[in-house]
Amino acid sequence: FYFRNKHRPFLLFVSFLHVHTPLVTTEKFQGRSRHGLYGDNVEEMDWMVGKWLLDIIDKEGLKNTTFIYFASDHGGSLEAHRGNTQLGGWNGIYKGGKGMGGWEGGIRVPGIVRWPGMLPVGTVINELTSLMDIFPTVVHLAGGEVPQDRVIDGRTLLPLLQGTVQHSEHEFLFHYCGMFLHAVRWHQKDRGTVWKAHYATPVFQPEGSGACFRRGICPCFGDGVTHHDPPLLFDLSQDPSEANPLSADTEPL
């Protein structure tokens, strides 16, 4: 692919089977990680990205002319297991995981960008972006314009990455579980506060576990979710773990 297209613009989309159950890991990487088979799978994916993508791009002299964006489509799966062995990921301080439409653990993922000479090195951006932003970003890079006859939910990432703007253009994001709206996020720009309202949340099994271990994955509707009226409300700016829902007493606004 690289050899055929290195003298003209190209778009390469690579979607790994890693890191996903059944965690197919080659013998070379089994037992490499302190974090079991899941960690082995992560290490093999890391090796593949470096060996098959980055190294070849560098070797072909495309390093300074290639925009690379590495991300995931959801947070780590918590319920995955084989027998008594836990195969799921770890979402740090964030509650919940894959398949949960509202909790941060199912939404927040790493986004890593590389474009030497065009983007500042070592920058950490804590602004809200979305995989929906990839489409307008690629169109922007190609010198095109997004369609004007419909609403495009994504926003080009380039101004944020280049530092020409300090804040994401996303004011609201709607978080769905399948076709069911579970939560809405609002970035209140004048206060710099990020609010999250949950209209439905999965019923964790066991209670307080942060996952649906007895079901294998959390459902989006039915008896497996709790509906909240009024919604559960969190200030993610102060409580990213979504541990302390607000009330009219604790947050008059």
Side-chain angles (χ1 to χ4, degrees), residues 178-235:
M179 60 184 291
F180 299 92
L181 179 65
H182 274 208
V184 176
R185 175 191 310 259
W186 174 35
H187 183 190
Q188 187 183 5
K189 309 256 174 158
D190 58 346
R191 281 182 52 165
T193 305
V194 180
W195 308 95
K196 168 92 81 65
H198 288 263
Y199 301 99
T201 56
V203 177
F204 293 145
Q205 301 172 334
E207 185 178 350
S209 64
C212 300
F213 290 105
R214 292 178 191 151
R215 287 179 177 259
I217 191 168
C218 287
C220 297
F221 63 95
D223 62 359
V225 303
T226 300
H227 293 273
H228 303 281
D229 185 14
L232 288 179
L233 180 65
F234 297 92
D235 177 357

Side-chain angles (χ1 to χ4, degrees), residues 1-12 52-68 114-118:
F1 177 87
Y2 299 109
F3 307 118
R4 292 197 311 269
N5 294 279
K6 66 180 181 179
H7 296 303
R8 60 184 181 182
F10 64 85
L11 172 66
L12 175 63
W52 293 356
L53 297 173
L54 302 184
D55 284 359
I56 294 176
I57 285 173
D58 295 353
K59 181 181 176 182
E60 294 300 322
L62 301 172
K63 182 175 182 177
N64 293 335
T65 55
T66 304
F67 176 88
I68 298 171
R114 189 186 84 156
W115 196 7
M118 296 297 291

